[in-house]
Amino acid sequence: YVDAEAGSDTNDGLSPSSAFATLQKASDATTSHTTIYVADGTYRNANFGTSSADNGPVVAFRNVREIVLSNLPGHLPRIEFDGSAGVSGYNVRGFEVRGFEVKGSADQITYEEAMADRPLHSRRFSGRGIAIWGGVHIHIHGNVVHHAPGAGILVNASDYCTIARNVVHNNTWWSANA
């Protein structure tokens, strides 16, 4: 369990009353065959708001199997990012993301800033909402993804992927790949 308002990363995350505070802590503690339930609140990447060009994702999953990242029933958690991604998955199998609002920082970037970064390809200007970099049996559904400087939802080098019932808008404004 993850709860941005009432949780703590010193908790064990095994119940709503002992929830973690951050998504990355939950990912770090996750083993395969786990569901992570996320309560209402806003979840951000480290160094959010510093205008750093190289911030990382809010949460990254690596080399895991059968993981569900889900809103707690009745909740709509918000993931805000100004780095490489809201949610990233690398070499994941049986990975599901559902029930989130994912908002990037594209509406806070000026045209002049974006043009100056074109040859650099900084994370701040190419961040993706939900990005999977290699996997199989991926299911991304029931999310609202918007204002990502790069792709809203991206799946690369993966098989058996379902992307359904998402609302995706106002993405890919500033990426050098746009």
Side-chain angles (χ1 to χ4, degrees), residues 77-145:
R78 181 177 178 138
I79 296 172
E80 288 185 358
F81 70 97
D82 64 0
S84 61
V87 177
S88 286
Y90 303 89
N91 189 32
V92 293
R93 182 179 184 91
F95 187 71
E96 180 177 353
V97 180
R98 65 177 183 222
F100 291 89
E101 177 188 3
V102 181
K103 182 191 180 294
S105 60
D107 58 345
Q108 300 165 15
I109 297 171
T110 67
Y111 175 83
E112 292 75 22
E113 289 174 315
M115 292 304 108
D117 190 75
R118 288 269 165 159
L120 305 174
H121 294 266
S122 300
R123 291 176 177 176
R124 178 172 179 239
F125 299 91
S126 61
R128 287 109 175 159
I130 300 171
I132 307 301
W133 302 98
V136 64
H137 297 288
I138 310 301
H139 193 185
I140 301 169
H141 62 102
N143 302 287
V144 176
V145 184

Side-chain angles (χ1 to χ4, degrees), residues 25-88:
K25 179 63 176 181
S27 174
D28 293 344
T30 297
T31 58
S32 293
H33 303 280
T34 300
T35 298
I36 300 169
Y37 289 108
V38 183
D40 281 339
T42 301
Y43 301 85
R44 295 181 173 122
N45 53 274
N47 301 316
F48 180 86
T50 62
S51 296
S52 171
D54 293 314
N55 285 342
V58 175
V59 60
F61 293 87
R62 297 178 188 280
N63 305 313
V64 291
R65 304 178 77 154
E66 308 305 324
I67 300 296
V68 177
L69 179 62
S70 175
N71 64 311
L72 195 61
H75 291 239
L76 182 60
R78 181 177 178 138
I79 296 172
E80 288 185 358
F81 70 97
D82 64 0
S84 61
V87 177
S88 286

Side-chain angles (χ1 to χ4, degrees), residues 11-27:
N11 288 342
D12 63 16
L14 298 177
S15 71
S17 62
S18 65
F20 293 126
T22 65
L23 293 171
Q24 190 57 55
K25 179 63 176 181
S27 174

